[in-house]
Amino acid sequence: MHIKDKLAEAQRTGKPRFSFEFFPPKTEQGVQNLYDRMNRMHDLGPSFIDITWGAGGQLSDLTCEMVHVAQTAYGLETCMHLTCTDMPREKVDAALEEAYKAGCTNILALRGDPPRDKSDWKPAEDGFRYARDLVKYIKDKYGDHFDIGVAGYPEGHEDQPDQDVLTDHLKQKIDAGGTFIVTQMFYDVDIFIDWVAKVRDAGITVPIVPGIMPISTYASYKRRAEWSRCHIPQKWTEALDPVQNDDMVVREVGKDLVAEMCRKLFDNGIMHLHFYTMNLAKSTEMVLEELGLTSSDNTPTTKALPWRQSLGLNRRDEDVRPVFWKNRNKSYVMRTQDWDAFPNGRWGDSRSPAFGELDAYGIGLRGSNEDNIKLWGRPESVKDIAETFVKYLEQGLKRLPWSESPITGEADPIKAQLIDLNRRGILTINSQPAVNGAKSSHPVHGWGPTNGYVYQKAYLELLVCPTMMPTLIERINQSEDFTYHAVNKAGELMTNAVAGPNAVTWGVFPGKEIVQPTIVETVSFLAWKDEAFRLGSDWARCYSLSSPSRHLIDGIMGTWFLVNIVNNDFHHAETLFSLFDGFEITSIEDEMLLKSFRKENVPNPNDGTTSDTLHSQTLASRPNGMQKPTTNGTQTTNGTETQKTPSQKSNGTFEPLRN
C-alpha cells in the first residue's frame, strides 16, 4: 500500500499513526538482533517502516535484503531509502528491481551525503546529481508502482541554509513526482510549524511527516542535535542538563518532552509521526505509550487475518495457510516464496507447487549453540525437557525450537491444561483453544472486518512417546469429533482424516462469504514434519556427541511421533485434553530412552550425525495397523492403505486450487 494513502487515511480519520526508521547493522549478529526487534515492534502497530541506504550504497545489498525480509516475512509495509551518492544508473536500477520483486511499493529518494572518506559531494558518472533527478527517473521508469517520498529540512541544510532556496528545491522534487515529505529531526516544534506554513504558502500540498528522535541518553541527544544543527528549546536544556548523568532519568524526562512535542503536532493537524529509532525500541515505545498509541486490551491492533500477512510480491491477497507454521511465520513465507500463486479463498492441491527445501535462509534453528544451551539448559531427562516447555508456557522463556516468539494471550484459556500435559512428558509445540463466536474486535481472538464473529476448533500439536500411541489412537477413534495425523521422523503416517483441508478457524462478516484462513491438511503437515524434526535435531546438535542432552533429544526425534488432533465440535473446549488422561512418562521409560541411544547410536565421524539402529525397534513397537510409508502417495487410515486423491473434498467446503 502506498504511504501517501496511509497518511491520507490518518488525516481523514483524525487518528494519529506512526512509523519507524531502521538502518543496516554492520555485523551478522546485529542483523539478526534487528530482525528480532523489527518482529517485536510490528506488534506496536506501525503504518510502515523505512530502511536507510548507506553512503554510496555501501550496504546496498543488505538494505535490499532487509526490505525483502521486512516486507515478505514480517508483513511490514516497507519504504526503501535510495540515494544518488556514488550510485551509477545500473546500481540504481538493480536496487529498484530488488525492491519491486520484494513487493515494496515505497521509495524515499534522497541526494545523500558523501562517503566518510570524501569531503565533497560529486555525482557518479552516469548517475544523478540531485534528488529531483532520481525522483523523475523512478517515476518515468515505474509509473505509479512506487510512491516516492522526499526529504524536507525545517532548520536548513548544511549545504544550503537559505530556506527560500530549499523550499524551491523541495517544490521541484514534488513537481518531479514526489508524493510525501519526511523531515529532518527537530526538537523545537514551533520552528517546524512555521516551516510547514511556509511550505504550504509555496503551493506544496502533499503530506508532511515530521521526523521524531526519541531520547535514550544525554550524550546521544546532544550529539544528534549537533549533527543535525537543530535548535534545542531552553525548556529542554533546563530539564535535561541537571540529570545528564542518570540515563534512566534522562530517558524518562526525554519521554515526557518528546511526547509533549508530539501532542502539539497533533493539535496543529499533523497526524503521523516518523520515529528515528536508531535500531532501538525502548525509548520509542515509551513515547508511544505516553501518547496512548500502542495497542492494548481497549484499543487492539486490527488484524485482517489470524496470522500475520506477507506483503511480498503477489502475496497481498493470500488468505489461507496451514496451522502448523503458526509460531514460525517467517519459515512458512520462505518455504513458499517461489510459488507463482497463493491460496486465495480456498486451499487446493498443496502438492503443487512444492514446499521449499529446509536449507533456505531463515528456516533452521535460530541462535548459536552457546546461546541455545544458555537458554534451554542441558536436559538429561524428559522431565528436564518438559520443564523447559513449561517455563516457556509460563513466559519464562522467549522461544523454543518450534516457536520463534513468546507465548501469547491466546493460550490463556488452555494454559493450565498445556502445562499439565508437558509436566507429564507430553510435549506441546502448537495449540489453539476453541472459540465459539467471539466478536471480530476481541482483543485476543479477534480478526477481520468489524461487526463480525470468529470461530476456532480446539487444536493440539504434540510430540508423543510411541508407547502411548496405541491407546491414544484407540481413544481418538472412539469419537467422531476427532481427526488426527501422526507421523514419525521416518515418515510413517497414521490418520483418520479424509483427503483435503479441514478449516480450524473461520469468520462470518457482514456482506462477505465465510472466510476460512487456517487449515489442517495432510500434504502440508508432511512438509511441516520434515521441518519440525529438523529443528529438534538441530537442537540436539547444539551439544557435543558424548553429551547426554544430545542423546536424549536425538532419541525423542528418532522414535517419538509428531501428532496433531482437531476437535471438530467447537462447542466443547476441554475434551481434547481428556484423551491424555492417565498418560505420563515414567522414570523407567526416561532411563530406557537414554540408555538405548547411548548404546545403539554410533557416531558417524564424517558428519557428526548418528546412524539410527533403533529404527527396527521402533517398527516392532509400531501401533496396530501402522504400515511403512510407500512411494506412490499412499497413507494409512485406521490401518487400511488408501490412495490420496486431490479431488476429494472435506465436508464439501473446499475446492482444489489449480496452479
Side-chain angles (χ1 to χ4, degrees):
M1 183 175 180
H2 284 167
I3 287 173
K4 70 174 185 296
D5 297 327
K6 291 176 174 285
L7 301 176
E9 177 67 11
Q11 207 68 36
R12 185 185 65 80
T13 61
K15 294 181 179 179
R17 298 305 307 273
F18 55 89
S19 50
F20 302 139
E21 179 179 286
F22 301 103
F23 62 84
K26 295 180 179 179
T27 66
E28 185 176 343
Q29 187 59 51
V31 172
Q32 184 56 59
N33 291 342
L34 180 56
Y35 283 153
D36 293 344
R37 186 165 292 124
M38 288 164 61
N39 189 30
R40 292 194 301 271
M41 293 179 77
H42 179 287
D43 294 335
L44 296 175
S47 291
F48 65 92
I49 67 166
D50 68 9
I51 298 175
T52 66
W53 189 267
Q58 293 174 345
L59 298 173
S60 58
D61 289 344
L62 181 53
T63 295
C64 291
E65 176 204 302
M66 290 176 63
V67 169
H68 175 78
V69 171
Q71 191 85 23
T72 60
Y74 297 134
L76 287 160
E77 196 73 67
T78 306
C79 177
M80 186 179 78
H81 286 212
L82 189 59
T83 71
C84 302
T85 306
D86 280 359
M87 289 285 291
R89 192 160 303 207
E90 62 268 19
K91 199 168 185 178
V92 169
D93 285 337
L96 291 171
E97 178 67 16
E98 287 298 315
Y100 180 89
K101 290 191 295 186
C104 175
T105 60
N106 300 282
I107 300 290
L108 188 63
L110 308 163
R111 191 202 71 173
D113 298 318
R116 293 183 183 277
D117 58 348
K118 296 181 181 180
S119 57
D120 298 325
W121 192 96
K122 294 181 180 179
E125 186 176 349
D126 193 35
F128 305 94
R129 183 171 187 83
Y130 299 114
R132 65 171 181 263
D133 302 326
L134 180 57
V135 171
K136 185 177 185 304
Y137 181 77
I138 298 170
K139 187 71 174 176
D140 289 345
K141 191 174 181 67
Y142 284 89
D144 292 332
H145 175 79
F146 288 115
D147 203 20
I148 307 172
V150 298
Y153 301 94
E155 297 182 73
H157 189 278
E158 60 180 341
D159 290 346
Q160 181 53 262
D162 190 322
Q163 277 291 1
D164 290 335
V165 175
L166 284 175
T167 302
D168 185 54
H169 290 170
L170 181 59
K171 191 165 191 317
Q172 291 174 23
K173 291 187 284 188
I174 299 303
D175 291 343
T179 54
F180 63 95
I181 299 165
V182 180
T183 77
Q184 180 70 278
M185 62 168 283
F186 59 88
Y187 288 132
D188 192 325
V189 71
D190 292 328
I191 291 176
F192 171 82
I193 292 170
D194 290 343
W195 174 81
V196 170
K198 184 180 182 69
V199 168
R200 297 304 187 213
D201 288 343
I204 299 172
T205 60
V206 301
I208 296 174
V209 180
I212 308 297
M213 180 70 76
I215 296 174
S216 54
T217 67
Y218 182 83
S220 63
Y221 146 74
K222 293 290 286 186
R223 183 172 62 252
R224 289 161 189 159
E226 291 173 6
W227 171 79
S228 62
R229 293 176 170 82
C230 73
H231 176 256
I232 298 176
Q234 182 63 29
K235 178 181 178 180
W236 289 44
T237 300
E238 293 172 355
L240 288 166
D241 281 6
V243 299
Q244 61 183 275
N245 295 319
D246 190 327
D247 286 347
M248 187 174 296
V249 176
V250 166
R251 192 179 293 122
E252 192 67 29
V253 172
K255 171 207 70 177
D256 292 337
L257 291 170
V258 174
E260 180 184 26
M261 179 180 75
C262 294
R263 291 190 186 98
K264 192 168 184 179
L265 291 170
F266 297 155
D267 291 341
N268 282 269
I270 302 295
M271 289 293 131
H272 192 101
L273 309 172
H274 187 62
F275 287 90
Y276 296 117
T277 69
M278 306 308 293
N279 288 2
L280 301 173
K282 186 61 178 177
S283 298
T284 298
E285 188 170 354
M286 288 173 66
V287 174
L288 291 173
E289 288 175 347
E290 178 66 20
L291 294 171
L293 296 182
T294 55
S295 60
S296 66
D297 287 348
N298 295 323
T299 58
T301 300
T302 302
K303 297 185 295 183
L305 293 165
W307 36 265
R308 187 182 296 179
Q309 290 176 283
S310 171
L311 300 180
L313 188 65
N314 299 326
R315 294 196 81 135
R316 290 176 185 260
D317 293 330
E318 176 188 16
D319 65 5
V320 184
R321 283 189 187 175
V323 71
F324 318 119
W325 283 270
K326 176 180 177 180
N327 299 318
R328 286 180 57 80
N329 186 71
K330 180 180 177 182
S331 171
Y332 179 80
V333 171
M334 293 305 178
R335 290 191 68 185
T336 58
Q337 63 183 333
D338 294 329
W339 288 11
D340 295 325
F342 299 90
N344 172 251
R346 294 291 184 266
W347 179 273
D349 181 4
S350 59
R351 294 176 300 177
S352 178
F355 285 84
E357 297 300 322
L358 296 177
D359 56 359
Y361 176 80
I363 293 175
L365 185 68
R366 282 177 45 197
S368 66
N369 290 352
E370 293 75 15
D371 289 341
N372 290 334
I373 291 171
K374 183 178 180 181
L375 186 65
W376 300 318
R378 297 180 180 274
E380 297 190 6
S381 67
V382 174
K383 182 179 179 181
D384 292 342
I385 291 179
E387 286 304 315
T388 299
F389 279 62
V390 169
K391 191 174 181 181
Y392 172 78
L393 290 167
E394 293 178 336
Q395 299 181 311
L397 291 176
K398 292 184 177 180
R399 61 182 174 91
L400 289 175
W402 300 273
S403 299
E404 295 177 324
S405 303
I407 193 77
T408 68
E410 185 193 24
D412 286 350
I414 56 173
K415 184 175 288 187
Q417 294 95 322
L418 293 173
I419 290 173
D420 175 62
L421 280 182
N422 283 281
R423 287 213 162 114
R424 290 189 277 132
I426 303 157
L427 306 176
T428 61
I429 64 175
N430 196 354
S431 63
Q432 70 177 31
V435 173
N436 185 8
K439 289 285 289 183
S440 59
S441 58
H442 190 281
V444 176
H445 303 297
W447 55 272
T450 57
N451 299 320
Y453 291 88
V454 297
Y455 300 81
Q456 292 183 175
K457 297 174 183 176
Y459 172 82
L460 275 177
E461 188 176 323
L462 326 90
L463 290 166
V464 179
C465 174
T467 58
M468 298 178 180
M469 290 301 298
T471 303
L472 176 60
I473 292 172
E474 181 181 353
R475 291 179 179 181
I476 290 173
N477 287 332
Q478 287 174 357
S479 171
E480 294 181 350
D481 292 334
F482 300 129
T483 50
Y484 80 97
H485 297 81
V487 68
N488 61 12
K489 187 176 183 180
E492 296 154 338
L493 173 69
M494 296 177 289
T495 183
N496 66 352
V498 299
N502 178 10
V504 291
T505 65
W506 64 100
V508 182
F509 307 102
K512 293 174 66 73
E513 292 185 0
I514 293 176
V515 182
Q516 302 171 102
T518 314
I519 62 163
V520 168
E521 185 271 338
T522 303
V523 177
S524 52
F525 177 63
L526 293 177
W528 164 245
K529 176 269 296 183
D530 295 335
E531 185 172 330
F533 283 112
R534 163 75 175 270
L535 290 166
S537 296
D538 285 350
W539 180 16
R541 279 150 185 73
C542 292
Y543 307 92
S544 66
L545 279 170
S546 60
S547 166
S549 299
R550 178 157 181 168
H551 289 299
L552 173 69
I553 300 168
D554 266 338
I556 291 173
M557 292 300 104
T559 61
W560 287 31
F561 284 81
L562 179 68
V563 181
N564 72 63
I565 311 172
V566 179
N567 183 353
N568 293 288
D569 185 350
F570 57 91
H571 299 93
H572 298 98
E574 304 294 328
T575 51
L576 263 186
F577 295 96
S578 65
L579 293 170
F580 299 91
D581 287 350
F583 285 12
E584 186 166 5
I585 291 288
T586 67
S587 58
I588 295 176
E589 289 171 315
D590 213 355
E591 188 176 318
M592 291 284 289
L593 180 67
L594 265 176
K595 186 176 180 181
S596 296
F597 259 76
R598 282 171 175 158
K599 285 183 176 181
E600 310 257 359
N601 278 254
V602 182
N604 184 330
N606 295 323
D607 61 8
T609 62
T610 58
S611 60
D612 186 1
T613 56
L614 275 185
H615 186 58
S616 61
Q617 297 178 24
T618 305
L619 298 183
S621 61
R622 184 188 294 117
N624 291 337
M626 181 173 176
Q627 305 295 321
K628 291 181 69 174
T630 65
T631 58
N632 62 355
T634 61
Q635 62 190 47
T636 62
T637 305
N638 294 333
T640 303
E641 192 171 84
T642 60
Q643 178 69 39
K644 185 180 188 301
T645 55
S647 61
Q648 287 178 277
K649 305 173 189 175
S650 176
N651 298 323
T653 305
F654 291 87
E655 295 286 348
L657 178 71
R658 305 298 183 190
N659 290 322

